Amino acid sequence: MARTDTRFRQSHNAMLDMLSAMAVGDGLPSEVQLAARLGVSRTVIRSVMQKLGSDGIITGSGRDKRMLRRPNTKDRLPLREDYIGRDELEARFLDWVLRFDVPAGTALNITQLARQFMVPPHALQEFLASLGQSGLIERRARGGWRLLGFTADYAVELSEFRQVLELNAIRVFAALPDDHPAWAALSAVRDEHLDLLHRIERDFHDFSRLDGRFHALVNSVVRNRFVAEFQKVISLIFHYHYQWDKTMERYRNEAAIREHLTIINALQARDGAEAEARARAHLATSKETLLSSMRGHHLA
Amino acid sequence: MARTDTRFRQSHNAMLDMLSAMAVGDGLPSEVQLAARLGVSRTVIRSVMQKLGSDGIITGSGRDKRMLRRPNTKDRLPLREDYIGRDELEARFLDWVLRFDVPAGTALNITQLARQFMVPPHALQEFLASLGQSGLIERRARGGWRLLGFTADYAVELSEFRQVLELNAIRVFAALPDDHPAWAALSAVRDEHLDLLHRIERDFHDFSRLDGRFHALVNSVVRNRFVAEFQKVISLIFHYHYQWDKTMERYRNEAAIREHLTIINALQARDGAEAEARARAHLATSKETLLSSMRGHHLA
DNA sequence: GCCGGTGATTTTTATCATTAAAGACACCAT
DNA sequence: ATGGTGTCTTTAATGATAAAAATCACCGGC
């Protein structure tokens, strides 16, 4: 078997569901309509039709196909939900790298990793290639991959790069015309910050998401696909570390909220220089947090 | 045949060369040494040895292997130099895309492209994946790739991103301590600019490389793998376009040299603000040149 | 005669089996 | 002990293959 016939099996079962909602003797929709409804190609529909025909569930051919009997549970095709999706793979891989302190410089083993992550080797290969630009991974001369690792160096450079991008975003933001929708969004985010500050004792866990929204908003004013691409990597990594460093979480979060508010206030006062200074301070704190989180994790 | 036996063939021929430099009856070095000398694994060496043995060129086994007769031309194994390397692939692909022979949004065909570029389909797949982050290419939902294309939008965003990175570099540069080696390098590059300016009438073609060196120097003061990674993409694309837009090349280049010099002068005067302003102007020109080069090419 | 449909065929890509190459291990000779 | 060979295992690049998508050709009813 070459490609998995998962799509065929899923379509088959979906078709059974559809038939269950119909009466015996009813005519079936056209192949094109069925294909559109299930979101697959006509080829799959036809394979399913053939199977249903040989199973005695439908009869007829060409334009006139009718339901012969109601499908029952035994007609369903089992489908092993073995392989995971691409996003899941990304999450698991990063989790593995960032959590298990995989030593820098380790040679990666495609086959083994593919088994470990439950994906076909091919998919892993492609995934690793796509990670190439992120600097976490390197192609070895004669085949194979090497994990460069999430080192302190890496974290520092990532933070600095983030700072470059985000300070630029702050400058752009401060120069936006007053009727730009971002100002309204900023107001809303400010209210959310104030709100969370009031119930910080109980809900300090909510900060991680608010933090994400705040930084996303700031960066959203820079319409640039490269910035957006990096933003994804950055927020991913920072998000991951947020989850682990539980020390002082409540106080760190409260402090971060207050830092955000100083930035927002400066922006709303259209004081670009002040906003930039506040943002610089906040990003420095953030970088320190990331580094200390790494140190803590290393010892654990 | 699974993997190509190119390595075996190359090693075989290399071994013949090595034997030609020896006398009949001489003993051969150990397998480990041979492997190290040819840069391949012992497995390959052993295969070659076996072949040489059955061809009657060497005799003996184990530690004692001796040359039996001098190899001649007929002993060489032919090797089809079919597949091209990875760098070559990158060059060809970018060439193909950037020349606009391809409309934006086209679905890419792995097999066809692989044939066109003389690489195994697999290699192309991996290459495309590695290009994913550059924003030129997109993965379609159910397999396949789509070329987003080098559009005007893309060029604008690339230029703006370049500007963010490079202005940051300029700021860092201006703040370097006086004994930093970059200052000496800057002096040298300044001299090169002055030199080229004197012989601009004849050698204006040399500017492209000088331009590359100048921008590389400026960015080199930011030690950051992400910056470096993007710098590669950026310089590649700008370099490619330089090659095509031949209109006014001599005058454009002279103007660019003068712009570089104003930046250099401001830096040497430690006037960060002025340097930033000059750099901003230069990058704006550069962006315009890129865009007009694209328009020109589009009409052609 | 055109439009929505089916039948048959051609492309195209994801997976699998295969094999060259690399590396590990055990043993041998000096 | 050290440097070597013989044997075996592991690994990743390739070609073959099958699933799915896309395309083409044709048909029948209004």
Side-chain angles (χ1 to χ4, degrees), chain B residues 19 28 49 52-53 56-60 65-69:
Chain B
L19 287 173
L28 287 159
M49 288 313 199
L52 291 178
I57 299 177
I58 63 171
T59 184
K65 291 190 279 284
R66 312 197 153 271
M67 179 153 82
L68 199 58
R69 65 167 175 87

Side-chain angles (χ1 to χ4, degrees), chain A residues 7 39 122 125-126 129-130 133-134 139 142 154 157-158 161 164 168 171 224-226 229-230, chain B residues 7 39 122 125-126 129-130 133-134 139 142 154 157-158 161 164 168 171 224-227 229-230:
Chain A
R7 183 152 299 134
H122 209 256
Q125 184 106 354
E126 190 182 312
S130 80
Q133 314 264 27
S134 79
R139 196 94 170 84
R142 282 212 262 306
Y154 185 93
E157 293 182 12
L158 184 71
F161 195 72
V164 171
N168 175 64
R171 280 191 290 271
N224 189 297
R225 68 193 74 190
F226 306 105
E229 194 63 42
F230 257 97
Chain B
R7 183 152 296 134
H122 209 259
Q125 185 107 354
E126 190 183 313
S130 80
Q133 314 262 29
S134 79
R139 197 96 171 80
R142 283 211 261 305
Y154 186 93
E157 293 183 12
L158 183 72
F161 196 71
V164 171
N168 175 63
R171 280 190 289 270
N224 189 296
R225 67 193 77 189
F226 305 106
V227 174
E229 193 63 43
F230 256 96

